[in-house]
Amino acid sequence: MALTRRTLASGAVAALAAPVAAARETSLKAAARRSGRLYGCAVEPHRLDEDTGFAALAARECAALIPENAMKWDTVRHAEGRFDFAAADRLLAQADAMGAVVHGHCLLWHEALPAWFPERPDERLLRGHVGAVVGRYAGRVRSWDVVNEAVERNDRRPDGLRRSPWLETLGPAYLRMAFEAAHEADPAARLALADYGLEYDDVVWMTEKRGTMLALLGGLVKAGVPIHALSIQGHLRGEQAPSFGRPLADFLRRVADLGLEIYVTELDVRDDATAGDAARRDRNVADHYRRFLDTALAEPAVRMVCTWGLSDRYSATADFFPRPDGARGRPLPFDADLRPKPAAKAMRQAFGRI
Ligand code: G3I
């Protein structure tokens, strides 16, 4: 619309500018901040460099960034005998430019290991890796997923621990070693144990895993291991009943009663198995975000919520779980054209209700 002299004189420009200001005020970052939390997302640094529209959206919406892959072994240690911090350094610079904090992910995992990784990794390799990575970013990374996915009840250990290369070589003590090495390298960093499959009240293996996780966390805290948080990944399934009620609330409270913070670090909603057009799927995805966050955010110990991506344009979940009808998955708060979806509104409202 051409701005005529009369329009300019009438002060209508202020009205035109209002939506921009309003967008800033209703950002997920602002909504989360008003509830005393951080909101952020997982990103690949090259996406922020290559896609200015996406970078602007992330800067507007996110107060935290998680390196989706930039700090994993197969990125940082792809070549034996040396470290490659280029991607991780870039993400730290991008976060600094955005005024966002960084949640590091992940120091030890049984996946994303380089081809040279030994069958029996020893304590020297563990402590050397954790110390080098955490030490490089000491004072700049707010928190870390120190160990990712340590629990796997199907491995049939009495303690429910996953039979990872770390476990098989070093025993359960590998957990203490990892947290100690991270704490020594950066005493100010908040150190988390991360896992999936803790979200749904009506999935038996998940409720059983909650019990295993509570016992594990309690043992680590009792042993004086420097652990400060549980990261709940939060990968939700749109075709499942959104059962996020009192049992989830009680689980979160029991984690908090151990003196731990809680981070939701990989929130998204798979919609590859849900029927309907995009509008209907979006409403269902939004309902999952709303119900999960209404329960999670009622727990004061929940201090950060991050989605595993920000826009459906870049979603590993949509990539990994393609829909049979060929339509692209829509698991995130913003669509592939970077427009807010019902899920974004549901998240803003959930932050606002607390
Ligand atoms: O960058 C290389 C590229 O150069 C190469 O051509 C291509 C071909 O294989 O691979 C690219 O790397 C891939 C990387 O994603 C970046 O796209 C890796 O192979 C692939 O394994 C990696 O997948 C990541 C996966 O973790 C394994 O690390 C996903 O992006 C990432 O979203 C996913 O995230 C995990 C969390 O870390 C833990 N919780 C579950 C979550 C989803 O699986």
Side-chain angles (χ1 to χ4, degrees), residues 44 68-69 72 105 109 112 148-149 233 266 308 316 320:
E44 295 271 41
E68 183 170 356
N69 295 298
K72 290 175 180 172
H105 173 85
W109 192 23
N148 190 38
E149 301 176 5
Q233 291 185 7
E266 306 187 17
W308 202 245
F320 287 168

Side-chain angles (χ1 to χ4, degrees), residues 42 44 46-47 67-69 72 74-75 105-106 109 111-112 148-149 196 233 235 266 268 308 315-317 319-321:
E44 295 271 41
H46 72 86
R47 298 290 191 201
E68 183 170 356
N69 295 298
K72 290 175 180 172
D74 59 358
T75 301
H105 173 85
C106 44
W109 192 23
E111 294 192 22
N148 190 38
E149 301 176 5
Y196 63 88
Q233 291 185 7
H235 290 294
E266 306 187 17
D268 60 12
W308 202 245
S315 163
T317 294
D319 294 342
F320 287 168
F321 303 103

Side-chain angles (χ1 to χ4, degrees), residues 129-150:
H129 179 81
V130 174
V133 177
V134 177
R136 182 180 183 86
Y137 303 113
R140 301 181 62 201
V141 170
R142 180 181 183 276
S143 49
W144 285 96
D145 285 340
V146 174
V147 179
N148 190 38
E149 301 176 5

Side-chain angles (χ1 to χ4, degrees), residues 102-126:
V102 173
H103 177 79
H105 173 85
C106 44
L107 296 171
L108 297 191
W109 192 23
H110 61 284
E111 294 192 22
L113 296 172
W116 63 264
F117 191 81
E119 189 175 332
R120 294 185 61 77
D122 60 18
E123 182 172 354
R124 181 172 173 274
L125 179 66
L126 183 154

